[in-house]
Amino acid sequence: FGTYSGMLYKYSHEGDQFTPYFPPTNQQPLVFQRPINDLYADGEGKIWMATEGGGLIRFDPASGSFKAWRESDGLVMDVCNRIVPDSRGKIWVGSYEGFTVFDPRLEKIEHSKIDYGQRENNFFSRGKYLLRNGKLVLGNETEFIVVDPALAHLQKTSVVPVISNMSVFEKPKPLYQSIDGINLSYKE
């Protein structure tokens, strides 16, 4: 069970009790305990968590280890709402900005270039399903969208920082063109 307080529990019928699991506080890189929005147990017994601000987290019950992937690793955003496995073994991680496609075998992140046919790419509803033909059914507040992962144009991601706006002492300094550097005086 995953909770909104960020706890992960395993229920035992034999002892009629819950065992909590949480990342070590000294683990590097740090795994944040954030509200768990969705869970997925893969074929190897690993538990995947979509979290509210902590990104995508994998828990391996065999070793007791946690690992996280965040926006800084290439996720669309750290607020992850849904986990949808596809028939190719990849995990589609839904957010308010669309889907990130994660390959758990290679630990690689890709972005889907899909026109979902809606004004926003919010995927926060619980509507999700893998059809027998391998297509994914994704739901939002008003409609269902069918996606064929085999036809999705995926791009491998590399994180490139972009400065699109800046302020100095709360005064906007517009950036109108691409520049190679930013020079500030010692007073700024």
Side-chain angles (χ1 to χ4, degrees), residues 84-105:
V84 187
D86 70 19
S87 59
R88 302 169 307 150
K90 295 185 179 183
I91 298 171
W92 291 59
V93 183
S95 73
Y96 294 114
E97 298 293 329
F99 277 89
T100 299
V101 182
F102 183 77
D103 186 334
R105 291 181 306 266

mmCIF file of all heavy atoms in Angstrom, residues 84-105:
data_model
loop_
_atom_site.group_PDB
_atom_site.id
_atom_site.type_symbol
_atom_site.label_atom_id
_atom_site.label_comp_id
_atom_site.label_asym_id
_atom_site.label_seq_id
_atom_site.Cartn_x
_atom_site.Cartn_y
_atom_site.Cartn_z
ATOM 1 N N VAL A 84 1.840 3.562 -16.069
ATOM 2 C CA VAL A 84 1.164 2.654 -16.982
ATOM 3 C C VAL A 84 2.230 1.822 -17.692
ATOM 4 O O VAL A 84 3.008 2.360 -18.477
ATOM 5 C CB VAL A 84 0.317 3.417 -18.030
ATOM 6 C CG1 VAL A 84 -0.507 2.447 -18.855
ATOM 7 C CG2 VAL A 84 -0.560 4.466 -17.378
ATOM 8 N N PRO A 85 2.309 0.518 -17.409
ATOM 9 C CA PRO A 85 3.271 -0.317 -18.123
ATOM 10 C C PRO A 85 2.757 -0.645 -19.520
ATOM 11 O O PRO A 85 1.559 -0.821 -19.709
ATOM 12 C CB PRO A 85 3.343 -1.580 -17.255
ATOM 13 C CG PRO A 85 2.004 -1.650 -16.598
ATOM 14 C CD PRO A 85 1.557 -0.231 -16.397
ATOM 15 N N ASP A 86 3.670 -0.694 -20.490
ATOM 16 C CA ASP A 86 3.233 -1.103 -21.821
ATOM 17 C C ASP A 86 3.700 -2.533 -22.104
ATOM 18 O O ASP A 86 4.391 -3.150 -21.292
ATOM 19 C CB ASP A 86 3.676 -0.102 -22.904
ATOM 20 C CG ASP A 86 5.170 -0.083 -23.179
ATOM 21 O OD1 ASP A 86 5.883 -1.055 -22.823
ATOM 22 O OD2 ASP A 86 5.635 0.901 -23.783
ATOM 23 N N SER A 87 3.326 -3.069 -23.248
ATOM 24 C CA SER A 87 3.619 -4.465 -23.572
ATOM 25 C C SER A 87 5.087 -4.689 -23.911
ATOM 26 O O SER A 87 5.528 -5.829 -24.007
ATOM 27 C CB SER A 87 2.728 -4.928 -24.727
ATOM 28 O OG SER A 87 2.954 -4.114 -25.861
ATOM 29 N N ARG A 88 5.865 -3.609 -24.086
ATOM 30 C CA ARG A 88 7.288 -3.728 -24.412
ATOM 31 C C ARG A 88 8.172 -3.685 -23.168
ATOM 32 O O ARG A 88 9.386 -3.691 -23.270
ATOM 33 C CB ARG A 88 7.690 -2.612 -25.378
ATOM 34 C CG ARG A 88 6.884 -2.615 -26.659
ATOM 35 C CD ARG A 88 7.099 -1.360 -27.474
ATOM 36 N NE ARG A 88 6.868 -0.186 -26.653
ATOM 37 C CZ ARG A 88 7.476 0.983 -26.825
ATOM 38 N NH1 ARG A 88 8.352 1.138 -27.784
ATOM 39 N NH2 ARG A 88 7.203 1.999 -26.048
ATOM 40 N N GLY A 89 7.543 -3.583 -21.989
ATOM 41 C CA GLY A 89 8.314 -3.542 -20.750
ATOM 42 C C GLY A 89 8.684 -2.146 -20.301
ATOM 43 O O GLY A 89 9.403 -1.978 -19.315
ATOM 44 N N LYS A 90 8.210 -1.130 -21.012
ATOM 45 C CA LYS A 90 8.494 0.247 -20.615
ATOM 46 C C LYS A 90 7.383 0.760 -19.713
ATOM 47 O O LYS A 90 6.267 0.245 -19.711
ATOM 48 C CB LYS A 90 8.661 1.140 -21.842
ATOM 49 C CG LYS A 90 9.887 0.737 -22.650
ATOM 50 C CD LYS A 90 10.154 1.675 -23.791
ATOM 51 C CE LYS A 90 11.408 1.227 -24.529
ATOM 52 N NZ LYS A 90 11.752 2.135 -25.605
ATOM 53 N N ILE A 91 7.711 1.779 -18.949
ATOM 54 C CA ILE A 91 6.758 2.366 -18.006
ATOM 55 C C ILE A 91 6.454 3.787 -18.462
ATOM 56 O O ILE A 91 7.364 4.598 -18.633
ATOM 57 C CB ILE A 91 7.340 2.371 -16.582
ATOM 58 C CG1 ILE A 91 7.610 0.944 -16.105
ATOM 59 C CG2 ILE A 91 6.409 3.093 -15.625
ATOM 60 C CD1 ILE A 91 8.375 0.875 -14.794
ATOM 61 N N TRP A 92 5.173 4.072 -18.652
ATOM 62 C CA TRP A 92 4.724 5.418 -18.995
ATOM 63 C C TRP A 92 4.357 6.121 -17.693
ATOM 64 O O TRP A 92 3.508 5.648 -16.950
ATOM 65 C CB TRP A 92 3.526 5.349 -19.947
ATOM 66 C CG TRP A 92 3.894 4.849 -21.312
ATOM 67 C CD1 TRP A 92 4.466 3.642 -21.614
ATOM 68 C CD2 TRP A 92 3.752 5.538 -22.542
ATOM 69 N NE1 TRP A 92 4.675 3.540 -22.956
ATOM 70 C CE2 TRP A 92 4.242 4.687 -23.558
ATOM 71 C CE3 TRP A 92 3.245 6.782 -22.883
ATOM 72 C CZ2 TRP A 92 4.242 5.059 -24.891
ATOM 73 C CZ3 TRP A 92 3.230 7.149 -24.220
ATOM 74 C CH2 TRP A 92 3.725 6.298 -25.211
ATOM 75 N N VAL A 93 5.024 7.239 -17.427
ATOM 76 C CA VAL A 93 4.841 7.983 -16.184
ATOM 77 C C VAL A 93 4.073 9.259 -16.515
ATOM 78 O O VAL A 93 4.598 10.150 -17.186
ATOM 79 C CB VAL A 93 6.201 8.318 -15.531
ATOM 80 C CG1 VAL A 93 5.990 9.021 -14.200
ATOM 81 C CG2 VAL A 93 7.038 7.059 -15.355
ATOM 82 N N GLY A 94 2.818 9.324 -16.059
ATOM 83 C CA GLY A 94 1.958 10.458 -16.367
ATOM 84 C C GLY A 94 2.151 11.599 -15.386
ATOM 85 O O GLY A 94 2.413 11.393 -14.204
ATOM 86 N N SER A 95 2.011 12.818 -15.914
ATOM 87 C CA SER A 95 2.129 14.019 -15.092
ATOM 88 C C SER A 95 1.150 15.067 -15.611
ATOM 89 O O SER A 95 0.386 14.813 -16.533
ATOM 90 C CB SER A 95 3.561 14.561 -15.146
ATOM 91 O OG SER A 95 3.808 15.156 -16.409
ATOM 92 N N TYR A 96 1.221 16.248 -15.038
ATOM 93 C CA TYR A 96 0.383 17.353 -15.509
ATOM 94 C C TYR A 96 0.868 17.890 -16.854
ATOM 95 O O TYR A 96 0.206 18.689 -17.481
ATOM 96 C CB TYR A 96 0.374 18.491 -14.489
ATOM 97 C CG TYR A 96 -0.297 18.117 -13.196
ATOM 98 C CD1 TYR A 96 0.428 18.036 -12.016
ATOM 99 C CD2 TYR A 96 -1.658 17.855 -13.155
ATOM 100 C CE1 TYR A 96 -0.188 17.692 -10.824
ATOM 101 C CE2 TYR A 96 -2.276 17.507 -11.973
ATOM 102 C CZ TYR A 96 -1.535 17.430 -10.808
ATOM 103 O OH TYR A 96 -2.147 17.080 -9.636
ATOM 104 N N GLU A 97 2.054 17.458 -17.301
ATOM 105 C CA GLU A 97 2.633 17.940 -18.549
ATOM 106 C C GLU A 97 2.747 16.857 -19.618
ATOM 107 O O GLU A 97 3.470 17.017 -20.579
ATOM 108 C CB GLU A 97 4.030 18.519 -18.270
ATOM 109 C CG GLU A 97 4.027 19.707 -17.347
ATOM 110 C CD GLU A 97 3.359 20.925 -17.961
ATOM 111 O OE1 GLU A 97 3.415 21.101 -19.191
ATOM 112 O OE2 GLU A 97 2.767 21.705 -17.198
ATOM 113 N N GLY A 98 2.092 15.724 -19.427
ATOM 114 C CA GLY A 98 2.170 14.642 -20.392
ATOM 115 C C GLY A 98 2.888 13.437 -19.809
ATOM 116 O O GLY A 98 2.956 13.274 -18.589
ATOM 117 N N PHE A 99 3.446 12.608 -20.685
ATOM 118 C CA PHE A 99 4.068 11.363 -20.256
ATOM 119 C C PHE A 99 5.565 11.353 -20.515
ATOM 120 O O PHE A 99 6.037 11.831 -21.544
ATOM 121 C CB PHE A 99 3.441 10.162 -20.986
ATOM 122 C CG PHE A 99 2.184 9.687 -20.358
ATOM 123 C CD1 PHE A 99 0.965 10.217 -20.741
ATOM 124 C CD2 PHE A 99 2.208 8.727 -19.366
ATOM 125 C CE1 PHE A 99 -0.210 9.790 -20.158
ATOM 126 C CE2 PHE A 99 1.044 8.290 -18.771
ATOM 127 C CZ PHE A 99 -0.163 8.825 -19.162
ATOM 128 N N THR A 100 6.286 10.760 -19.572
ATOM 129 C CA THR A 100 7.684 10.380 -19.745
ATOM 130 C C THR A 100 7.663 8.868 -19.909
ATOM 131 O O THR A 100 6.932 8.182 -19.204
ATOM 132 C CB THR A 100 8.511 10.750 -18.500
ATOM 133 O OG1 THR A 100 8.466 12.159 -18.296
ATOM 134 C CG2 THR A 100 9.949 10.308 -18.649
ATOM 135 N N VAL A 101 8.448 8.347 -20.829
ATOM 136 C CA VAL A 101 8.531 6.907 -21.027
ATOM 137 C C VAL A 101 9.870 6.441 -20.453
ATOM 138 O O VAL A 101 10.922 6.939 -20.839
ATOM 139 C CB VAL A 101 8.414 6.537 -22.519
ATOM 140 C CG1 VAL A 101 8.455 5.030 -22.696
ATOM 141 C CG2 VAL A 101 7.122 7.112 -23.109
ATOM 142 N N PHE A 102 9.792 5.494 -19.525
ATOM 143 C CA PHE A 102 10.983 5.035 -18.812
ATOM 144 C C PHE A 102 11.244 3.572 -19.139
ATOM 145 O O PHE A 102 10.336 2.741 -19.079
ATOM 146 C CB PHE A 102 10.784 5.201 -17.303
ATOM 147 C CG PHE A 102 11.977 4.812 -16.492
ATOM 148 C CD1 PHE A 102 13.074 5.647 -16.396
ATOM 149 C CD2 PHE A 102 12.009 3.602 -15.826
ATOM 150 C CE1 PHE A 102 14.181 5.293 -15.655
ATOM 151 C CE2 PHE A 102 13.116 3.227 -15.077
ATOM 152 C CZ PHE A 102 14.204 4.078 -14.994
ATOM 153 N N ASP A 103 12.482 3.270 -19.514
ATOM 154 C CA ASP A 103 12.888 1.888 -19.778
ATOM 155 C C ASP A 103 13.602 1.368 -18.537
ATOM 156 O O ASP A 103 14.749 1.750 -18.270
ATOM 157 C CB ASP A 103 13.821 1.832 -20.988
ATOM 158 C CG ASP A 103 14.170 0.411 -21.404
ATOM 159 O OD1 ASP A 103 14.130 -0.504 -20.541
ATOM 160 O OD2 ASP A 103 14.483 0.215 -22.591
ATOM 161 N N PRO A 104 12.948 0.511 -17.736
ATOM 162 C CA PRO A 104 13.560 0.052 -16.487
ATOM 163 C C PRO A 104 14.787 -0.836 -16.683
ATOM 164 O O PRO A 104 15.664 -0.862 -15.828
ATOM 165 C CB PRO A 104 12.449 -0.719 -15.779
ATOM 166 C CG PRO A 104 11.367 -0.900 -16.746
ATOM 167 C CD PRO A 104 11.601 0.002 -17.911
ATOM 168 N N ARG A 105 14.877 -1.552 -17.805
ATOM 169 C CA ARG A 105 16.047 -2.405 -18.037
ATOM 170 C C ARG A 105 17.302 -1.567 -18.252
ATOM 171 O O ARG A 105 18.366 -1.881 -17.741
ATOM 172 C CB ARG A 105 15.807 -3.315 -19.239
ATOM 173 C CG ARG A 105 14.763 -4.393 -19.003
ATOM 174 C CD ARG A 105 14.600 -5.277 -20.230
ATOM 175 N NE ARG A 105 14.311 -4.508 -21.433
ATOM 176 C CZ ARG A 105 13.084 -4.264 -21.898
ATOM 177 N NH1 ARG A 105 12.032 -4.749 -21.284
ATOM 178 N NH2 ARG A 105 12.900 -3.559 -22.994
#
